Amino acid sequence: MATTKATPKPKINLLGFEQGEYKGAPSTLCPGCGHDSISSRIVSVCFELGVQPYQVAKFSGIGCSSKTPAYFLGRSHGFNSVHGRMPSVATGAIVTNRNLVGLAVSGDGDTGSIGMGQFKHLVRRNVPMVYIVENNGVYGLTKGQFSATADIGQKLKYAGLNELPPIDLCAEAIIGGATFVARSFAGDPRQVEALLKAALSHRGLAILDIISPCVTFNNHEDSTKSYAYGKEHEERLHDMTFIRAQEEITVDYEEGEAIPVKMHDGSTIVLKKLETDYDPTNRVAALSRLDAARENQEFITGLIYVKQDNNRTIHDLLHMDEQPLSHLSAEQLRPTKEALDSVLADLY
Amino acid sequence: MAVVDYQTEQQPAEIAREDVNINDFAIIVATPNGSGSQTANNTILRACFNMGIPVTGKNLFPSNIKGLPTWYSIRLSKDGYQARRHKRDVLVAMNPASFGDDLQSLEPGGICLYPDDSRQELSRSDVTYFPMPVKELVKNSGVDASLRDYIANMVYVGVLAHLLGIEVAEIESALNKHFKGKQKAIASNMNVVNAAVAWAAANITTQSPFRVERMDKTKGMIMLDGNAAGALGSVFGGVSFVAWYPITPSTSLVDALNDYLPELRINKETNKPTYAVVQAEDELAAIGMIIGAGWAGARSMTATSGPGLSLMAEFTGLAYFTEVPCVVWDVMRMGPSTGMPTRTGQTDLISAYFLSHGDTQHVCLLPSSIKECFEFGWRSFDLAERLQTIVFVLSDLDLGMNQWISEPFEYPTEPMDRGKVLDADALTAVGDWGRYRDVDGDGIPYRTLPGTNHPKAAYFTRGSGHNQDAKYTERSDEWVANLDRLARKFETARTIVPTPITVNEENATIGILSYGSNDPAIIEALDRLREANINAAYQRVRALPFTKEVGEFVAKYERIYVVDNNYNGQMAQLLRMEYPELAGRIIAVASCDGLPLTARWVTESVQKGEA
Ligand SMILES: Cc1ncc(C[n+]2csc(CCOP(=O)(O)OP(=O)(O)O)c2C)c(N)n1
Ligand code: SF4
Ligand SMILES: [Mg+2]
């Protein structure tokens, strides 16, 4: 006997899209992989914020993490490029069409090793987009070598003992001049979503370094990038609430207990203090906090650094026209015959 | 040791007119690098050009900023030959360090100008010497001490003007052009030129056996270097995105883009550029950026040379398999890595053609003149977007950095071809599409640009296995189908790339095949060979893959001399590979000494083969 279950009316967002329209192809990652949970966060945040999927351009390098753009926002163009050098591809595309909403996913190997140079230059150029590093301390796709973010003393079945110091991608980003730097944990969906929303509202490059456990190669008991470790050790710098431009601020907090950060598009992130006196708008303080965390092996998460004023993006730096280069007509692209004649006149 | 004793105020001894070489000789100026001789040399070149004499200038310079020897050779050719000449007739020996070798390189009967304080041994008695009081003239000119070294070069301009008969008015007009009308600079240079001319007129008593005389052979012609021509062509091809990393000899191509673009591509209403030029952190990034830009709908390009090309290898494969249009100018030089960075060579033909991993082959355009640099500048974008692929333009240092005369460039003869792009309306009209489907049977699929407002516009671009709908696949049959389609697309490319130019076919018994900047040497060699009763047909290949005309030409002659400016005879190798049944008739004539080929070498090589 067939039973009909009353299906609840599908929720639609500002643009009239259902959440399903933000999904991608089925994931082929290992069940339980942290990267999949980040993909889900992207889907729900883009749905909730009413991000226009046709305007999104997804970018990635190579790795398990870099495969994920195929698994979210199936209505958006995506470019799975080469290992470590997605930043350059994204730069070319975003400079060409400044209307695109850039959403990039990389891995700790992709960004921290082969792609370190491009990462730093992406930061330096302040290419406006969201850049997520799905950080598992290991090379997943090549089956378990250490990445440059692995902590000293970590052990892997394949690779043995790691004795090299880790690279802190958040610190690298801040030193490079990044204007939005956050760290989070795939096992903390609320925080990941709040940070993603803030990142999408940021004018400029937003870096999210999200610890994203690799359940196959680096989720064992003594791993510092495991779910268990993260759940036990995560220290949030603050409790975050994202409030859209149109919304009223209804979170209640007492004076001095929270910092409201006004984003460029009018939205606000309210950072309710958990750790006394952490000010994410202070660059030097951010760097010292990261350094202290490294020293004491603390897993701090939250919005580590943000700067909202005078952020010159690459479009500003290139003094570009509002009209995207991709929209130029043939007449705008090719100067006239008279223009050629006048150039030639100087060469006779 | 020959001692030349000049008496003042004496009429120069007459040389019979038939003994005077008019407009058919080569000047070589030897200077230490960084001594600012470029202005002086350009001035001589321009002045001769203004006098209607076919002339070419080649800079032979070291990879060094200051000090090492540098040479500038100027060839005047009443017959219009533009190739490097093996002979040197007039030497301006400003560099004590290379004086001995420079003097030895002169033809018997040549003349040698040198600063009178350079205590060098004048070891040849078959050369006429002209010491010049450089220090004194510069000192008397009253220019600022800091500019003296620089302006000293104007002394030889003045002395040469007197000796050879270069019109001073044309020197002034050349300087005017060089300094873009800046009066102060023109005046201080002309001061020295005039003083040198006056000194020479008063003091030089020997007549030069080499003279220039006005002709009308450069009327309506322009003079430019290939890099600037390529840049200008790219601008008229609608380039909108440039990413690059500096490397000789390609840097001046981007410099020229940076000169032309602000002039030609500003939005008049907003006064803002409608282009972007990004200096990348390296060539890996430069090509990544142009691929991202091409994917997003820009006409994107980069310019590089061999070492950069090598770094671009991986991304090139990505562009090939993801089918993203973009253009790479490779201004070739000698390898490896730093190699001989300032010496010319056609060294990357094979590596560019097959660049990257995984069965790749690319469209390569082979310009041989500044006119073709301009044409391929715009045409490369049409081909890249039509074929949805990466296109290489292979120029070289000789073509790119030296001055050439040419007919004026022709405004693009065809409207811009943006290729098969589906916009939102087209998507609604077609209903169903797949990124890599071969709808038209030419192997070329349809694409959409990111940001297209349509629910069906999106597709996922990946280098890894994809089927015709751009979905992930590891199925052999789907990937083979993709490779088959790419092969079909390459066959389509073969029918639309520039076809070769073939000349001199009448009565020809042998063929010469070449490409790129070898052209002037071969054109001249054809005349020399004809004088030696060898009639050679000549085909200049202008693109890879080979069009059918190439196969026909190779099949037509029993011996085909394939002229390459590289060591391995790369073009000959490609031909043998493409036409294995005709491989036996292909004779490689290859040289790689860092210098542009000469007609004499081509002639002798062919003669040797025919003997
Ligand atoms: C040029 C190049 N070198 C090496 C590889 C092999 N490779 C693929 S993924 C990968 C590491 C990926 O690690 P990470 O970025 O941390 O991604 P994860 O799989 O851990 O998510 C490597 C080395 C490659 N694809 N390209
Ligand atoms: S190997 Fe690790 S990173 Fe890759 S999919 Fe599996 S769990 Fe995720
Ligand atoms: Mg990893």
Side-chain angles (χ1 to χ4, degrees):
Chain A
M1 202 183 82
T3 50
T4 35
K5 224 167 105 191
T7 40
K9 212 166 175 252
K11 248 177 88 186
I12 54 166
N13 68 5
L14 286 172
L15 298 175
F17 290 127
E18 294 172 25
Q19 173 140 345
E21 298 191 67
Y22 289 85
K23 290 199 168 133
S27 170
T28 61
L29 303 184
C30 307
C33 175
H35 303 347
D36 275 340
S37 82
I38 297 171
S39 296
S40 306
R41 301 289 82 73
I42 293 172
V43 169
S44 59
V45 162
C46 289
F47 166 72
E48 239 184 86
L49 289 184
V51 171
Q52 167 54 270
Y54 312 154
Q55 291 302 320
V56 173
K58 305 173 287 182
F59 302 100
S60 62
I62 299 290
C64 296
S65 34
S66 291
K67 286 184 172 199
T68 62
Y71 315 142
F72 59 80
L73 301 190
R75 295 281 165 91
S76 307
H77 277 75
F79 202 143
N80 181 196
S81 64
V82 295
H83 194 22
R85 278 148 295 148
M86 164 267 276
S88 58
V89 175
T91 302
I94 298 227
V95 168
T96 295
N97 185 349
R98 60 184 306 164
N99 295 345
L100 293 176
V101 175
L103 188 47
V105 177
S106 176
D108 43 326
D110 199 60
T111 291
S113 290
I114 190 167
M116 191 57 141
Q118 293 216 346
F119 174 66
K120 299 281 297 199
H121 285 274
L122 182 78
V123 167
R124 185 172 168 245
R125 293 193 179 96
N126 201 17
V127 178
M129 62 178 192
V130 176
Y131 188 100
I132 301 167
V133 183
E134 300 184 344
N135 186 349
N136 52 17
V138 72
Y139 287 6
L141 195 57
T142 50
K143 303 197 174 200
Q145 300 81 9
F146 279 116
S147 82
T149 64
D151 291 316
I152 292 181
Q154 285 291 289
K155 291 194 197 91
L156 286 176
K157 205 187 229 164
Y158 176 100
L161 177 71
N162 175 49
E163 297 183 77
L164 282 169
I167 284 174
D168 185 328
L169 294 172
C170 289
E172 294 294 340
I174 295 171
I175 288 170
T179 50
F180 184 111
V181 180
R183 172 163 290 149
S184 191
F185 173 44
D188 185 353
R190 258 200 68 215
Q191 192 193 46
V192 171
E193 289 198 5
L195 285 168
L196 264 173
K197 287 176 188 169
L200 282 162
S201 309
H202 179 63
R203 183 174 195 273
L205 179 69
I207 306 282
L208 300 182
D209 177 13
I210 305 179
I211 306 306
S212 171
C214 167
V215 292
T216 304
F217 298 111
N218 199 12
N219 199 34
H220 43 277
E221 227 160 64
D222 45 2
S223 163
T224 55
K225 299 276 195 291
S226 67
Y227 276 119
Y229 184 91
K231 287 239 147 58
E232 200 166 315
H233 293 88
E234 183 188 6
E235 289 176 44
R236 297 188 191 94
L237 294 173
H238 28 235
D239 251 342
M240 298 189 51
T241 314
F242 177 83
I243 299 152
R244 274 217 301 255
Q246 305 87 338
E247 285 171 43
E248 226 179 298
I249 301 182
T250 53
V251 230
D252 51 356
Y253 54 87
E254 283 178 24
E255 265 303 302
E257 255 189 16
I259 309 174
V261 180
K262 196 107 189 134
M263 303 303 287
H264 192 267
D265 67 353
S267 52
T268 312
I269 344 168
V270 179
L271 304 170
K272 200 165 164 193
K273 281 185 188 174
L274 293 176
E275 190 164 301
T276 37
D277 288 340
Y278 186 71
D279 175 7
T281 61
N282 182 332
R283 192 161 176 250
V284 175
L287 281 170
S288 358
R289 187 64 192 88
L290 284 172
D291 197 52
R294 184 190 52 78
E295 193 79 11
N296 307 320
Q297 186 66 56
E298 294 171 286
F299 176 27
I300 54 167
T301 63
L303 183 56
I304 292 172
Y305 178 64
V306 66
K307 172 174 173 284
Q308 283 303 286
D309 306 323
N310 300 320
N311 287 347
R312 296 187 75 203
T313 68
I314 190 161
H315 298 117
D316 303 325
L317 297 164
L318 292 168
H319 309 283
M320 289 177 70
D321 205 25
E322 288 298 321
Q323 188 184 14
L325 302 178
S326 51
H327 293 26
L328 296 169
S329 65
E331 293 69 43
Q332 289 172 297
L333 287 168
R334 173 171 287 167
T336 59
K337 168 135 191 351
E338 291 65 46
L340 176 63
D341 290 342
S342 98
V343 173
L344 292 178
D346 272 348
L347 306 175
Y348 287 99
Chain B
M1 177 167 147
V3 178
V4 190
D5 183 16
Y6 288 113
Q7 295 178 325
T8 48
E9 303 297 324
Q10 208 181 300
Q11 279 306 305
E14 280 288 328
I15 301 180
R17 186 169 164 91
E18 57 270 26
D19 293 334
V20 179
N21 176 327
I22 294 164
N23 297 346
D24 194 20
F25 57 92
I27 306 169
I28 184 102
V29 181
T31 49
N33 203 23
S35 64
S37 57
Q38 202 62 12
T39 309
N41 300 333
N42 278 333
T43 301
I44 299 167
L45 192 73
R46 207 0 111 174
C48 295
F49 174 77
N50 290 352
M51 288 177 68
I53 307 158
V55 66
T56 38
K58 292 191 194 298
N59 197 1
L60 186 67
F61 61 106
S63 177
N64 158 271
I65 303 301
K66 230 169 164 60
L68 287 181
T70 270
W71 296 270
Y72 195 80
S73 69
I74 297 172
R75 177 180 185 183
L76 293 86
S77 169
K78 61 180 171 25
D79 301 315
Y81 296 132
Q82 295 212 54
R84 179 172 76 91
R85 206 173 124 112
H86 64 280
K87 282 198 200 171
R88 298 157 159 201
D89 306 295
V90 176
L91 167 66
V92 181
M94 301 296 282
N95 187 4
S98 63
F99 188 92
D101 284 348
D102 292 335
L103 187 57
Q104 285 312 315
S105 76
L106 265 185
E107 286 294 302
I111 65 174
C112 169
L113 286 68
Y114 66 99
D116 60 2
D117 62 342
S118 84
R119 274 174 252 117
Q120 298 289 332
E121 195 187 340
L122 307 181
S123 59
R124 285 182 59 177
S125 55
D126 57 349
V127 165
T128 313
Y129 298 93
F130 296 94
M132 308 174 284
V134 176
K135 280 234 166 78
E136 193 188 317
L137 288 173
V138 172
K139 208 167 138 211
N140 295 346
S141 74
V143 298
D144 194 81
S146 65
L147 289 174
R148 274 186 200 163
D149 279 354
Y150 174 70
I151 222 152
N153 297 305
M154 285 297 143
V155 172
Y156 69 73
V157 175
V159 176
L160 274 180
H162 171 79
L163 274 175
L164 306 182
I166 303 169
E167 294 168 17
V168 175
E170 292 299 3
I171 288 176
E172 184 156 8
S173 115
L175 281 170
N176 191 31
K177 191 156 227 147
H178 185 89
F179 290 113
K180 302 198 166 83
K182 280 184 220 112
Q183 286 312 314
K184 216 177 134 205
I186 300 165
S188 56
N189 280 277
M190 272 316 286
N191 244 348
V192 179
V193 171
N194 284 327
V197 171
W199 171 85
N203 294 283
I204 291 183
T205 55
T206 317
Q207 223 186 29
S208 163
F210 305 96
R211 303 279 300 172
V212 300
E213 262 177 26
R214 216 166 236 290
M215 301 177 79
D216 62 353
K217 285 217 174 165
T218 63
K219 213 164 159 188
M221 306 279 264
I222 58 167
M223 185 159 66
L224 197 65
D225 60 275
N227 281 349
L232 194 58
S234 305
V235 173
F236 282 85
V239 63
S240 47
F241 183 89
V242 183
W244 71 297
Y245 190 74
I247 182 168
T248 307
S250 69
T251 301
S252 59
L253 200 156
V254 181
D255 291 344
L257 282 168
N258 277 323
D259 284 344
Y260 291 129
L261 283 167
E263 198 182 312
L264 297 168
R265 282 283 299 281
I266 296 293
N267 179 337
K268 296 262 158 40
E269 277 147 40
T270 60
N271 210 22
K272 294 224 169 131
T274 59
Y275 61 87
V277 181
V278 179
Q279 184 182 322
E281 56 271 33
D282 53 33
E283 288 89 346
L284 303 168
I287 187 154
M289 287 180 195
I290 69 164
I291 291 171
W295 179 74
R299 291 206 137 185
S300 67
M301 71 178 285
T302 185
T304 188
S305 192
L309 189 78
S310 300
L311 289 183
M312 293 178 182
E314 189 196 12
F315 255 132
T316 294
L318 185 78
Y320 179 84
F321 283 107
T322 55
E323 303 181 59
V324 173
C326 55
V327 174
V328 176
W329 277 75
D330 175 18
V331 187
M332 298 181 286
R333 67 185 211 187
M334 295 180 89
S337 201
T338 46
M340 296 236 278
T342 58
R343 305 302 156 102
T344 197
Q346 295 171 316
T347 49
D348 305 336
L349 188 70
I350 288 182
S351 61
Y353 190 34
F354 297 118
L355 194 67
S356 202
H357 52 283
D359 277 324
T360 49
Q361 46 191 352
H362 310 289
V363 171
C364 299
L365 304 184
L366 309 169
S368 80
S369 62
I370 58 169
K371 202 171 175 199
E372 270 179 355
C373 286
F374 178 84
E375 184 193 330
F376 294 172
W378 60 264
R379 204 178 274 288
S380 55
F381 290 116
D382 288 352
L383 285 166
E385 290 196 325
R386 166 58 41 191
L387 292 164
Q388 293 181 27
T389 198
I390 185 166
V391 169
F392 292 92
V393 187
L394 302 181
S395 175
D396 61 33
L397 183 146
D398 182 33
L399 179 56
M401 289 188 74
N402 288 322
Q403 295 290 323
W404 302 85
I405 55 179
S406 159
E407 289 159 1
F409 307 145
E410 222 180 299
Y411 191 72
T413 46
E414 291 149 41
M416 223 175 254
D417 181 359
R418 304 298 316 256
K420 300 184 191 180
V421 179
L422 299 172
D423 60 13
D425 292 342
L427 284 167
T428 303
V430 298
D432 187 34
W433 80 291
R435 170 67 181 100
Y436 298 111
R437 292 187 200 170
D438 188 5
V439 179
D440 305 320
D442 55 5
I444 306 170
Y446 284 79
R447 64 176 182 137
T448 56
L449 302 181
T452 303
N453 259 323
H454 195 282
K456 288 210 168 131
Y459 68 94
F460 196 72
T461 309
R462 44 159 79 80
S464 40
H466 47 260
N467 65 16
Q468 61 169 6
D469 292 326
K471 298 281 187 283
Y472 186 82
T473 186
E474 294 199 20
R475 286 179 55 145
S476 307
D477 58 342
E478 287 187 313
W479 191 241
V480 170
N482 190 50
L483 293 174
D484 286 343
R485 183 184 52 76
L486 284 166
R488 266 196 310 282
K489 184 166 97 164
F490 205 62
E491 287 313 304
T492 301
R494 204 185 285 286
T495 64
I496 62 172
V497 297
T499 51
I501 306 286
T502 309
V503 297
N504 217 31
E505 291 221 88
E506 216 168 293
N507 303 327
T509 52
I510 56 168
I512 295 177
L513 186 148
S514 195
Y515 60 104
S517 66
N518 304 336
D519 186 52
I522 297 170
I523 291 285
E524 188 176 349
L526 292 177
D527 290 349
R528 300 293 83 79
L529 287 167
R530 207 173 301 115
E531 286 159 14
N533 288 322
I534 297 174
N535 257 327
Y538 167 40
Q539 182 170 80
R540 181 164 65 76
V541 174
R542 298 198 299 161
L544 299 174
F546 296 125
T547 60
K548 67 176 191 330
E549 293 83 356
V550 180
E552 289 162 8
F553 184 81
V554 175
K556 201 159 165 186
Y557 301 97
E558 254 165 56
R559 286 181 304 288
I560 306 283
Y561 293 87
V562 180
V563 181
D564 265 296
N565 195 358
N566 52 56
Y567 193 81
N568 288 336
Q570 297 186 20
M571 178 60 88
Q573 292 187 11
L574 288 180
L575 288 163
R576 289 186 190 121
M577 215 166 90
E578 182 93 11
Y579 309 109
E581 69 287 0
L582 300 171
R585 53 180 68 193
I586 287 160
I587 303 160
V589 174
S591 159
C592 186
D593 58 3
L595 299 169
L597 303 183
T598 63
R600 177 156 92 170
W601 177 80
V602 174
T603 309
E604 287 175 358
S605 303
V606 173
Q607 277 176 322
K608 222 178 283 165
E610 289 300 292

